[in-house]
Amino acid sequence: MRPMRLDMAGFTVFRDETTVDFTDADFFALVGPTGSGKSTVLDAICFALYGTVPRWGGTRGLANALAPSATEARVRLVFESAGDRYVATRVVRRDGRGNVKTANAGLQLMPAGFDVTKLDTGLSPEDLGEVVAGTPAEMDRAVLEAVGLPYEQFTSCVVLPQGQFADFLHARPATRQQILVNLLGLGVYEAVQKRASERAGQAEAKLEAVDRILAGLADVDDASLAEAEAEVTRAHELSEAVAAAVPERDRARGAAREAHAALADLDAELTRLGSVRAPAGVAEVARAVAGARAGADEAAAGVALAEEREEKLRGELAGAGDESALRLLLRAYADRDRLAEEAAVVGAAVTAAAGEHDAAAAALASATAAAQRAESELDAAFRAHEEAKATDQAVALRAHLVDGAPCPVCEQVVPRVPAVPAGSAVARATAAGKAARAATEAAQRVVRERDAAARDLERALLGARARHDQLRGRLAELDDQLAGAAAVEALRHDLAEHARLRRALDEAAGGVRAGRDAARRARAALEAAEERLRAAWRDFDATRDALARFGPPAADRDDVAGAWATLTRWADAEAGRRRDERVGLAEAVAEAQAAAEAVEERIAAVFAAAGRSAGDDPVRAATVAVERAEAAHRRLVERREQAAGLREQRTGHEHQAQVARALAGHLRANNFERWLLAEALDLLVDGASGILRELSGGQYDLVHDKGEFFVVDHHDAGLRRGVRTLSGGETFQASLALALALSEQLAGMSTTAASLESIVLDEGFGTLDAATLDTVAATLESLAARGDRMVGVVTHVPALAERIPVRYEVRKDARTARVERTGL
């Protein structure tokens, strides 16, 4: 895997959109202050491919992908692997509840020759190439196939994260062995072993199936074939014998069928002729029709007479005058008498009301005069009172004082008001005023009461006069209406005559209805009788038509009973003649039946001799016997051929089972895989030992024993030490040597798509002294100079960074981190 371009937005410290172009960067360094975001660039590469970062501790640290206060993080990586170019994309979002989830994940195979700089033009995802994966689950499988390494091996051999540089060196033997299995693709041999075992099982299952089939084909020997051929010969002989006898049998059966048919036809004619009989009561049908016709005519004449009488009465009633006009005149006479009586009563009431009204008017005038006199007396009393007050002012003031109130003159409180002296003029005037006022009020009440009574009497008088005038007007109208009218007795006589004529008319109408009902019943009886007569003729015609081929005699259409008698006599004569013919025809039927049975017995004897049954159809039975014999012969031949083919298949299956089982045995228990791993580990340790010797100035060699790594210290008399006893600087040298050996050698040893096309070291090279650092730099330069690997270093050591031709300077401000390419 070789990175080509990395795009980040909202990813950890890279809040703003940031692009790192690795094109032509075969040997580069990520430089910058501690905490600027150098390692984050490597994190973005891991995240784009695998969705996690070693420093996050698995997928639970997904929220770490988001920049502070950001709601979305996007990472896109363009990389090459095994000659193909891919683009991996991952998008992480935080929802409204604060949960962080992967919103999008995809891997696309880019077209050959695709220009990576076109990504800056805003291409849609569909323009980037074929979609290989579109979900996080699909990404895991697709990235493994494209890169050839799972996440754990990728972070041990390609991108070596900070703090995990020595993982492969210190890994347990089993873990290190699995890493090498994945790198070398040795899992294919396990798959081959499983496939070989499956094929061996399949071949053995086929072998058992063939043996079972062959066991069922034991009856295909030569004797069975000869017996089948003889059976075919016997079947053909039987078919030839039946073919010769069947035509004779068919002729005999045909003669017997013809005789039977003739006899059956004769019996059918006898049955038909014998069934000719006149229906019961056919003679009474014609008489019933004549009686019903006479009854219908009589009912029709009765209806005509009743209708004539009804019409006559209707004319008399119309000539008797208008009944409603007569009743209106009688009602007018009655209304005039009633209204005359009411008018007399109302006139007397008007006279009485007028007298009462005049008396009330006189009483009102008297009360009004009395009230006027009382008011005059009240005015005189008031004037006398005023004159008395002027005469006795003190008495007047005293009248307004009350106990305990101030005096209006001196404003002193008067504890007790003195009594008015007897014989005061003011007192006399006051008493006279009160008496005059009481008299005035009493007179006014009388006036109001008499005025109300007079008004009531006036209204009653006016109402009585209006009703009297109304009655007189209505009487005048009635007099005009009755002028020239007949007397009351004459009108009552005319109404009685009207009632008599109407009753007679109702009786006549009832007679018409009754006559019409009787006429309808008579017509229905006539129609029923005529229908019975027509039915009798239809029965006769149907019987005669059924005998038409025998030539029946003609019928008299005026006498149905006579027609039936003639036809019956003719049918009896014809039946007698045919009974005489039947005796000879029955003898011919018996002879033909005997001849057919004799031929059938010969055919049955032929089948019995062959050991078969003729059934209902000897020809078909013989044909079936031939077909079955030939089919049995064919099946036997086919089974013999099948047995020969199965024996050949058995040989092939047996050989396949032996070969597959032997291959599975050789690969069982991972013997071959362990041998390959041992060889690969030897080559890997040899290469790493040479690099370590160069890095350590000849002090150390790397060896392995039973899966464990050791160093040989030549400065200490070749002492063998475990790698876990090395110091920090020594561990770095050993880990770097092993990582470089993995990058340089295992790619050529791998048998799958695992391609170590790059190696990126994220390690703080500040622990090395100047000489060792110079050796490390020279080693990295030599590795990059080969041109088949991308070599990347993350460092903050200026001396090392200056020796690397391409540098990506990472800077960070208060908002975001930025990456700028310097050098070549």
Side-chain angles (χ1 to χ4, degrees):
M1 193 284 298
R2 182 187 182 98
M4 301 293 296
R5 173 183 171 126
L6 178 64
D7 296 296
M8 300 171 288
F11 184 75
T12 65
V13 297
F14 293 95
R15 181 191 300 273
D16 295 340
E17 293 186 4
T18 303
T19 299
V20 182
D21 188 357
F22 294 105
T23 305
D24 300 330
D26 294 330
F27 187 23
F28 68 90
L30 290 168
V31 299
T34 301
S36 61
K38 302 185 297 299
S39 298
T40 303
V41 175
L42 303 186
D43 292 344
I45 294 175
C46 289
F47 180 73
L49 293 174
Y50 298 101
T52 186
V53 172
R55 295 190 296 175
W56 294 353
T59 57
R60 293 183 180 179
L62 194 61
N64 296 324
L66 292 172
S69 74
T71 59
E72 181 180 274
R74 292 177 176 270
V75 178
R76 180 172 62 190
L77 173 67
V78 180
F79 66 93
E80 290 183 349
S81 181
D84 292 324
R85 182 170 293 180
Y86 299 88
V87 55
T89 305
R90 287 189 187 266
V91 179
V92 174
R93 291 194 183 99
R94 178 184 287 113
D95 59 22
R97 293 179 294 182
N99 299 321
V100 179
K101 296 181 181 179
T102 300
N104 183 27
L107 181 68
Q108 293 172 262
L109 177 61
M110 305 180 74
F114 184 87
D115 188 359
V116 178
T117 59
K118 291 183 178 180
L119 294 174
D120 297 326
T121 63
L123 293 175
S124 64
E126 292 77 9
D127 297 329
L128 298 181
E130 176 189 353
V131 176
V132 180
T135 65
E138 294 175 353
M139 279 282 287
D140 294 342
R141 176 185 54 79
V143 169
L144 181 60
E145 292 178 358
V147 178
L149 294 171
Y151 167 73
E152 292 78 7
Q153 281 70 46
F154 182 83
T155 55
S156 296
C157 300
V158 178
V159 176
L160 284 77
Q162 189 173 14
Q164 299 182 20
F165 189 64
D167 278 357
F168 187 79
L169 178 68
H170 293 154
R172 290 181 298 178
T175 303
R176 190 182 303 117
Q177 179 177 340
Q178 186 60 44
I179 294 174
L180 290 176
V181 167
N182 291 332
L183 286 173
L184 296 175
L186 299 184
V188 67
Y189 297 108
E190 182 179 358
V192 169
Q193 189 272 334
K194 291 181 180 178
R195 184 60 178 160
S197 298
E198 292 175 358
R199 288 194 175 183
Q202 294 171 356
E204 290 170 353
K206 292 178 180 179
L207 186 62
E208 293 177 1
V210 169
D211 288 340
R212 286 195 298 271
I213 297 174
L214 285 174
L217 297 175
D219 57 344
V220 294
D221 53 7
D222 294 340
S224 299
L225 180 62
E227 177 60 26
E229 292 173 347
E231 183 65 21
V232 171
T233 301
R234 288 193 294 271
H236 279 288
E237 292 174 351
L238 173 63
S239 178
E240 292 172 358
V242 170
V246 164
E248 182 181 356
R249 183 204 64 177
D250 292 342
R251 288 192 296 274
R253 283 184 173 180
R257 283 194 299 272
E258 292 175 358
H260 271 292
L263 183 60
D265 291 341
L266 185 60
D267 288 340
E269 292 177 0
L270 285 171
T271 301
R272 170 63 64 184
L273 291 169
S275 64
V276 177
R277 291 291 180 272
V282 69
E284 288 76 14
V285 172
R287 292 193 294 271
V289 171
R293 184 172 290 113
D297 293 342
E298 182 180 355
V303 170
L305 290 174
E307 289 177 345
E308 181 180 356
R309 182 172 180 274
E310 181 188 20
E311 188 63 27
K312 179 182 178 182
L313 289 171
R314 198 177 299 280
E316 292 177 359
L317 183 61
D322 188 357
E323 183 180 3
S324 60
L326 295 175
R327 293 187 182 278
L328 286 175
L329 290 174
L330 283 175
R331 187 176 297 110
Y333 274 114
D335 289 344
R336 188 182 67 175
D337 293 343
R338 179 177 56 78
L339 291 177
E341 293 177 0
E342 185 178 355
V345 173
V346 172
V350 169
T351 301
E356 292 178 357
H357 180 265
D358 292 342
L364 177 61
S366 176
T368 302
Q372 292 175 353
R373 288 192 300 270
E375 289 178 357
S376 297
E377 293 176 356
L378 179 60
D379 290 339
F382 180 74
R383 287 192 298 271
H385 182 266
E386 290 297 322
E387 293 174 355
K389 284 195 299 181
T391 303
D392 192 358
Q393 188 66 37
V395 175
L397 290 175
R398 184 182 302 170
H400 297 288
L401 292 176
V402 294
D403 294 340
C407 175
V409 178
C410 63
E411 297 183 352
Q412 294 183 358
V413 177
V414 179
R416 179 174 177 277
V417 178
V420 178
S424 173
V426 175
R428 289 193 297 272
T430 300
K434 291 181 179 179
R437 185 176 298 280
T440 299
E441 292 175 354
Q444 288 177 347
R445 282 197 300 273
V446 171
V447 170
R448 286 194 297 273
E449 292 172 358
R450 291 182 179 180
D451 182 63
R455 291 178 184 278
D456 292 342
L457 289 172
E458 184 177 5
R459 283 194 295 271
L461 177 61
L462 292 176
R465 287 175 177 172
R467 177 58 180 164
H468 188 262
D469 293 340
Q470 182 182 9
L471 292 173
R472 291 176 64 84
R474 179 59 181 152
L475 285 171
E477 292 175 358
L478 291 174
D479 288 340
D480 293 339
Q481 180 180 353
L482 295 173
V488 175
E489 293 301 327
L491 292 175
R492 290 175 178 170
H493 178 271
D494 292 342
L495 280 176
E497 182 63 18
H498 262 281
R500 184 189 67 78
L501 290 174
R502 188 168 297 284
R503 286 193 299 273
L505 180 60
D506 292 341
E507 291 175 0
V512 170
R513 289 193 295 273
R516 288 174 178 172
D517 290 341
R520 281 195 295 273
R521 289 194 295 272
R523 285 195 300 272
L526 175 60
E527 291 174 358
E530 290 177 345
E531 177 59 27
R532 288 195 295 274
L533 179 61
R534 287 192 293 271
W537 278 113
R538 285 196 297 272
D539 290 344
F540 175 82
D541 291 340
T543 302
R544 189 178 182 280
D545 291 344
L547 302 172
R549 60 194 178 91
F550 302 138
D556 182 5
R557 302 303 295 183
D558 294 331
D559 185 4
V560 66
W564 270 108
T566 301
L567 185 61
T568 301
R569 287 193 298 272
W570 171 83
D572 290 343
E574 289 293 319
R577 184 174 60 80
R578 283 168 173 73
R579 278 192 290 270
D580 295 339
E581 295 176 359
R582 190 181 187 285
V583 176
L585 189 56
E587 293 176 355
V589 169
E591 292 174 359
Q593 184 67 35
E597 290 176 354
V599 176
E600 290 177 353
E601 289 177 358
R602 290 202 305 274
I603 293 174
V606 172
F607 274 95
R612 299 180 182 275
S613 173
D616 296 333
D617 187 354
V619 175
R620 182 177 182 279
T623 302
V624 170
V626 172
E627 292 176 352
R628 288 179 177 175
E630 291 178 346
H633 180 265
R634 285 195 302 272
R635 285 196 301 273
L636 184 59
V637 172
E638 291 172 356
R639 285 161 60 84
R640 287 169 62 87
E641 294 174 353
Q642 180 185 7
L646 287 172
R647 283 190 285 272
E648 293 179 1
Q649 292 180 17
R650 187 183 188 285
T651 301
H653 294 328
E654 186 176 17
H655 176 70
Q656 291 179 1
Q658 291 174 352
V659 171
R661 189 60 68 188
L663 178 59
H666 290 312
L667 296 178
R668 186 178 292 113
N670 298 325
N671 294 329
F672 185 67
E673 182 179 294
R674 282 197 296 271
W675 177 79
L676 287 177
L677 284 174
E679 291 295 316
L681 190 59
D682 289 342
L683 291 174
L684 176 63
V685 171
D686 287 344
S689 182
I691 295 173
L692 179 60
R693 189 180 308 112
E694 181 179 359
L695 292 174
S696 63
Q699 180 178 357
Y700 296 115
D701 278 334
L702 184 67
V703 297
H704 73 97
D705 184 14
K706 297 180 181 180
E708 294 289 350
F709 285 155
F710 299 90
V711 295
V712 177
D713 189 351
H714 295 291
H715 290 183
D716 193 7
L719 178 65
R720 181 170 171 173
R721 297 163 50 194
V723 293
R724 297 184 183 276
T725 65
L726 298 177
S727 65
E730 293 169 340
T731 298
F732 175 78
Q733 289 179 339
S735 298
L736 178 60
L738 195 58
L740 294 175
L742 280 171
S743 177
E744 185 176 357
Q745 296 183 21
L746 289 186
M749 297 166 58
S750 177
T751 60
T752 67
S755 179
L756 301 179
E757 301 176 32
S758 60
I759 183 169
V760 183
L761 307 177
D762 185 3
E763 191 66 25
F765 293 91
T767 60
L768 304 179
D769 56 31
T772 303
L773 187 63
D774 183 70
T775 303
V776 169
T779 303
L780 293 176
E781 290 171 350
S782 176
L783 180 62
R786 298 170 62 95
D788 57 351
R789 297 289 187 274
M790 170 188 280
V791 178
V793 176
V794 178
T795 181
H796 57 274
V797 179
L800 178 60
E802 291 173 357
R803 298 185 58 172
I804 298 177
V806 178
R807 293 180 295 278
Y808 296 94
E809 294 187 7
V810 184
R811 295 185 178 88
K812 180 183 177 184
D813 56 24
R815 173 174 174 78
T816 184
R818 293 179 177 82
V819 179
E820 181 180 358
R821 179 170 172 167
T822 61
L824 297 179

